[in-house]
Amino acid sequence: MEHLQPKTAAFHTLGCKLNFAETSTIARQLTGAGYEKVSFDEKANVYVINTCSVTENADRECKLHVKRAMKANPEGLVVILGCYAQLKPEEISAIEGVDLVLGAKEKFNILSYLDDLQKTENHGLIHSCEIDEADFFIGSYSIGDRTRAFLKVQDGCDYKCTYCTIPLARGISRSDTIENVVKNAGEIAAKGIKEIVLTGVNIGDYGKGEFGNKKHEHTFLDLISELDQVEGIERIRISSIEPNLLKDESIELVSKSKSFVPHFHIPLQSGSDDLLKKMKRRYLTVLYSDRIKKIREVMPDACVGVDVIVGFPGETEEKFLETYNFLNELPISYLHVFTYSERENTEAADMDGIVPVPERKRRNKMLRILSEKKKMAFYQTQLGKTLPVLWEHENKNGMMFGFTENYVRVQKPFDEQSINEIEFLKLHKIENDGTVSVVPAFEEFLAKI
């Protein structure tokens, strides 16, 4: 009798932390059903690619990874899911090698399609939906390494920003129940993982849709108050949160918390009030400044990251300089700079005042240089301080890396015993690669003897 090989599955994720959390959950579904997880460049029965619609080259990236899968195993089944699969299912199904495209509603039902799935010659099968059918919540978390986990608490968005396709790709705002989030956090803690990163599309809107309705049964403040009580988690980091939804009470809680770290990532998108209105953002620059001021008042050493878009329609040189000067004067720590690109089915795609692409790139470069200056200035303020560092598993040319609670990236010679451990160390010097070297905190050591 022929010996049956175990079924194998490989996974590749494009895009955000939320996608990583969902890929991990889908991978656990498959391993629970008897699949063995293998590397994406190995021979596998099934290749799952979780796509993103935010990156400029979504189409090209998707094709590239389909080719990788076909090179590893021409007979392997290729399944595409995620935001790009919801927005452009027909285009994706026409890519050579794609066998199945699953939209927002079906991606967590992947197992029900695999048994009968055959390798196709032409178009892959599409199981998509109207995005308003994606009104349920599937809790997810990812364990990418032994150091941190991404925990999904919310999905979808009710905002109508004029440049964004995410509401079309992910549907309405809805949340996990507090009970389930706390349960998942407990499971992560039980695996010995020291840090959780809370993720979602619009996590400050947490509580809406928690019980399948549009009411806010709980708030983001309720959520973080409960999570702060979970035993066994050393650090909880909040991923991107809208400035209008980051309330004083939440900032105060983080400042006094035993688990939440002093690190915020707050999208701005533009420092011009005119452009914020055109983007249909829900705040103006004065509110944004107030949020940063409040954080600095209660957490002077907090790290604050900012998202900003350059080249939005109507961004004249004068309006760009408004953004540049606004950011230059704000006490922030780093920027994530995005170059505006036109998206189908968005209001901005039809707006006047198109900024030439070379000019968009020039502005992007200016802000990236500003970001580097901001980061180095922030790191400089932390030198000489003794801070807890959580070490990661990577060995890069004999060095290992970790992060302080306030997101300073530090390095030391690789030591396997330090992986996933928290050490109190003195921040010593900014190295040429932009990380900070550390030295033992002798004063603290002597104080304990």
Side-chain angles (χ1 to χ4, degrees), residues 94-383:
I95 297 171
E96 189 180 343
V98 171
D99 302 298
L100 178 64
V101 182
L102 296 178
K105 190 179 175 187
E106 297 303 322
K107 60 188 169 189
F108 291 105
N109 295 330
I110 183 170
L111 278 170
S112 61
Y113 296 106
L114 288 182
D115 284 346
D116 301 324
L117 191 60
Q118 303 289 319
K119 194 78 199 147
T120 56
E121 289 299 317
N122 298 315
H123 277 55
L125 290 170
I126 297 174
H127 289 276
S128 192
C129 66
E130 291 301 316
I131 196 58
D132 55 11
E133 293 174 37
D135 57 359
F136 53 90
F137 188 91
I138 304 283
S140 310
Y141 61 84
S142 79
I143 298 170
D145 59 39
R146 285 147 56 186
T147 312
R148 70 174 56 83
F150 300 128
L151 173 58
K152 173 182 167 185
V153 301
Q154 184 275 342
D155 201 350
C157 188
D158 292 340
Y159 287 10
K160 299 288 187 284
C161 300
T162 54
Y163 52 81
C164 186
T165 57
I166 286 174
L168 300 172
R170 283 192 168 269
I172 58 171
S173 179
R174 60 229 189 251
S175 311
D176 204 350
T177 62
I178 283 191
E179 185 184 30
N180 199 50
V181 173
V182 168
K183 179 180 82 68
N184 283 341
E187 285 177 15
I188 292 165
K191 295 177 195 295
I193 289 164
K194 299 277 201 303
E195 182 174 309
I196 286 177
V197 182
L198 299 185
T199 67
V201 174
N202 188 357
I203 63 172
D205 201 28
Y206 175 82
K208 191 183 283 181
E210 186 185 352
F211 298 105
N213 55 34
K214 294 301 284 179
K215 289 179 185 168
H216 263 283
E217 303 288 343
H218 290 103
T219 64
F220 182 70
L221 179 63
D222 295 334
L223 174 72
I224 61 177
S225 303
E226 289 284 332
L227 282 171
D228 203 30
Q229 307 307 313
V230 175
E231 292 298 321
I233 294 293
E234 300 275 347
R235 294 179 171 184
I236 306 176
R237 209 174 284 280
I238 299 167
S239 68
S240 184
I241 182 165
E242 293 287 302
N244 52 303
L245 296 173
L246 178 59
K247 307 295 186 191
D248 282 358
E249 296 82 357
S250 296
I251 295 170
E252 294 275 1
L253 185 142
V254 170
S255 74
K256 300 181 177 109
S257 161
K258 63 184 175 74
S259 327
F260 280 87
V261 296
H263 175 205
F264 295 88
H265 193 92
I266 312 170
L268 169 68
Q269 311 310 13
S270 176
S272 157
D273 284 342
D274 286 348
L275 289 181
L276 288 174
K277 289 171 189 171
K278 280 186 79 175
M279 291 174 169
K280 292 193 177 169
R281 302 292 287 159
R282 298 196 177 195
Y283 54 87
L284 296 174
T285 51
V286 65
L287 180 138
Y288 196 92
S289 297
D290 286 349
R291 299 296 80 216
I292 306 301
K293 188 178 167 192
K294 175 66 181 175
I295 291 167
R296 288 277 164 249
E297 271 173 21
V298 295
M299 288 171 275
D301 291 319
C303 179
V304 182
V306 180
D307 286 342
V308 60
I309 295 170
V310 294
F312 187 79
E315 186 186 62
T316 59
E317 180 68 6
E318 183 186 21
K319 285 186 168 58
F320 168 69
L321 289 174
E322 269 187 72
T323 297
Y324 187 94
N325 293 331
F326 181 70
L327 289 166
N328 193 29
E329 287 162 23
L330 272 184
I332 56 169
S333 316
Y334 65 90
L335 304 171
H336 282 173
V337 187
F338 299 90
T339 302
Y340 172 76
S341 63
E342 287 75 6
R343 294 278 186 271
E344 276 180 49
N345 301 316
T346 59
E347 278 186 62
D350 299 320
M351 286 181 182
D352 296 333
I354 294 170
V355 179
V357 170
E359 182 57 26
R360 298 182 205 184
K361 289 181 177 171
R362 184 188 73 86
R363 292 174 187 178
N364 181 301
K365 189 174 180 183
M366 277 181 71
L367 284 182
R368 279 189 289 116
I369 292 167
L370 177 62
S371 176
E372 205 51 38
K373 286 180 181 170
K374 287 281 186 185
K375 189 169 91 168
M376 289 303 109
F378 172 62
Y379 279 13
Q380 201 74 42
T381 66
Q382 302 303 298
L383 296 182

Side-chain angles (χ1 to χ4, degrees), residues 63-103:
K63 284 177 178 166
L64 177 76
H65 295 296
V66 172
K67 276 186 181 167
R68 272 179 68 200
M70 289 295 86
K71 186 179 175 188
N73 181 13
E75 300 305 310
L77 298 169
V78 177
V79 182
I80 313 289
L81 40 86
C83 291
Y84 190 51
Q86 175 64 34
L87 289 174
K88 302 278 186 179
E90 299 290 345
E91 280 182 27
I92 293 172
S93 75
I95 297 171
E96 189 180 343
V98 171
D99 302 298
L100 178 64
V101 182
L102 296 178

